[in-house]
Amino acid sequence: AKEHGKGRTVLFDASLREAILIRSRLERDLNPALEAGDIFLVYQPILSLPDGRLAGFEALVRWRHPDLGFVSPAQFIPIAEETGQILPLGRHVLERAVDQLAGWRRLAGGDALTVNVNLSARQMLDERHVDDMLAFLADGRAEGLKIEVTESMIVTDHDQARAILERFHALGVALCMDDFGTGYSSLSQLSRLPFDVLKIDKSFISALGTDPRQESLLRGIVELAHRIGLEVVAEGIETEAEREVVTRVGCDYAQGYLFARPLSVADAEALLSAAGPI
Ligand code: C2E
Ligand code: CA
Ligand code: CA
Ligand code: CA
């Protein structure tokens, strides 16, 4: 028994040590990766309902590490947030997405196109970083841009959050509440903040198949959201059945693997020039 216990300890130590090593490796390699171009964006289509036309894209960051292969943003974004590297990374993401959007809007039929960019709470609550982003977005660069924030940005201080969100609004940037339904924020809280769009989290969508009350709940959320002037995006649509439900309850937009995975710039462009319903 003693031996067994010892063996487990060694195993645990080994995997823990490995996790720590990978973490410090990612931390160390992130800034050089930005310079080397190993960090880039992919674009997942957002479709309007019920017609299925392409309305825009969500920009999602990717890291192709020379030794570790693809590293998920779910792994490196939290590290970047802790170390503060999210500031240069976030600036890079915003710049690339906005340049891409401007290019696409100049293409035939692209003039109404929008691109969503995720901003972490750490970015939104850093005053100098916000000044820097707003300075970059001035001069009409914000046209068609939407930003997505999660409720961690609004939970600490509503007044501060509102002031920052309003500065983006003043430049014409649309504001999306991301991952709605996963946390504690309510529509009544959101009605006091200048949001334009509510994104229903994919965990809420996947629950549609398991509990018949979930559809009524979603219908209620969509109706209330519309009443307070928010458009609604359903995320994580993977099946025809989910598409039917979110269309039936009145969601304005949908996003998910059923329609398209996040796409390379070339594939996004091919889709743009095809321009029919997906
Ligand atoms: P998110 O903002 O909620 O982004 C949606 C995630 O769901 C993406 O994962 C997307 O690839 C995935 N997804 C889309 N459709 C489906 C579907 O039908 N089924 C399933 N199961 N998943 C779907 P991804 O790209 O791995 O990003 C994970 C998270 O990392 C994002 O969640 C976001 O929180 C964060 N992230 C990604 N890019 C950025 C960025 O540029 N800045 C910041 N701050 N965070 C980012
Ligand atoms: Ca998002
Ligand atoms: Ca989301
Ligand atoms: Ca998320």
Side-chain angles (χ1 to χ4, degrees):
K2 201 178 168 196
E3 285 240 330
H4 186 70
K6 206 175 157 200
R8 281 168 116 178
T9 307
V10 170
L11 252 182
F12 173 73
D13 281 353
S15 59
L16 184 65
R17 191 165 342 108
E18 194 185 342
I20 291 171
L21 277 176
I22 288 182
R23 205 205 126 93
S24 64
R25 183 86 199 272
L26 294 179
E27 192 178 322
R28 180 163 47 88
D29 292 350
L30 186 66
N31 286 344
L34 268 179
E35 312 247 303
D38 293 340
I39 291 180
F40 57 96
L41 295 176
V42 289
Y43 293 89
Q44 189 177 29
I46 299 173
L47 313 184
S48 62
L49 294 177
D51 63 8
R53 289 194 155 273
L54 180 68
F57 296 98
E58 178 177 3
L60 294 158
V61 72
R62 294 290 178 267
W63 182 358
R64 196 191 304 108
H65 191 285
D67 306 325
L68 302 172
F70 277 99
V71 187
S72 163
Q75 190 174 7
F76 69 85
I77 293 286
I79 297 174
E81 283 170 350
E82 272 175 53
T83 61
Q85 288 167 304
I86 192 68
L87 300 181
L89 172 62
R91 180 66 156 86
H92 179 85
V93 164
L94 183 69
E95 227 168 278
R96 295 304 284 274
V98 163
D99 285 351
Q100 191 61 258
L101 172 62
W104 284 340
R105 282 174 74 99
R106 283 192 293 270
L107 297 175
D111 48 320
L113 195 79
T114 57
V115 166
N116 293 21
V117 172
N118 292 283
L119 296 187
S120 76
R122 174 91 186 247
Q123 286 177 270
M124 291 300 274
L125 299 174
D126 184 302
E127 205 176 318
R128 274 185 42 207
H129 185 72
V130 169
D131 289 345
D132 183 51
M133 287 193 285
L134 291 167
F136 171 71
L137 293 173
D139 310 326
R141 275 211 197 78
E143 221 174 310
L145 177 67
K146 301 189 180 198
I147 60 175
E148 300 192 3
V149 300
T150 55
E151 65 172 14
S152 55
M153 189 232 157
I154 63 164
V155 284
T156 31
D157 182 346
H158 259 228
D159 291 332
Q160 188 194 9
R162 184 183 306 104
I164 295 165
L165 292 170
E166 270 163 4
R167 293 180 67 196
F168 280 90
H169 235 192
L171 285 181
V173 178
L175 306 172
C176 312
M177 170 53 61
D178 202 357
D179 300 345
F180 186 77
T182 56
Y184 299 101
S185 57
S186 64
L187 282 170
S188 99
Q189 274 176 303
L190 289 185
S191 71
R192 280 175 260 121
L193 291 164
F195 283 100
D196 306 286
V197 180
L198 192 67
K199 294 192 81 171
I200 310 280
D201 191 69
K202 52 184 173 290
S203 59
F204 200 99
I205 301 301
S206 50
L208 283 171
T210 60
D211 182 348
R213 290 171 301 183
Q214 194 78 357
E215 178 172 343
S216 314
L217 196 52
L218 181 60
R219 185 187 297 277
I221 291 171
V222 173
E223 280 173 10
L224 265 175
H226 284 163
R227 220 168 288 153
I228 61 175
L230 297 172
E231 293 190 304
V232 180
V233 182
E235 316 193 81
I237 305 297
E238 293 179 347
T239 67
E240 260 321 316
E242 288 164 353
R243 178 198 187 140
E244 279 169 31
V245 175
V246 301
T247 305
R248 181 159 69 227
V249 302
C251 290
D252 306 286
Y253 301 97
Q255 181 180 354
Y257 295 166
L258 176 67
F259 313 107
R261 300 238 163 197
L263 305 174
S264 66
V265 169
D267 288 347
E269 263 160 27
L271 190 65
L272 252 175
S273 52
I278 298 181

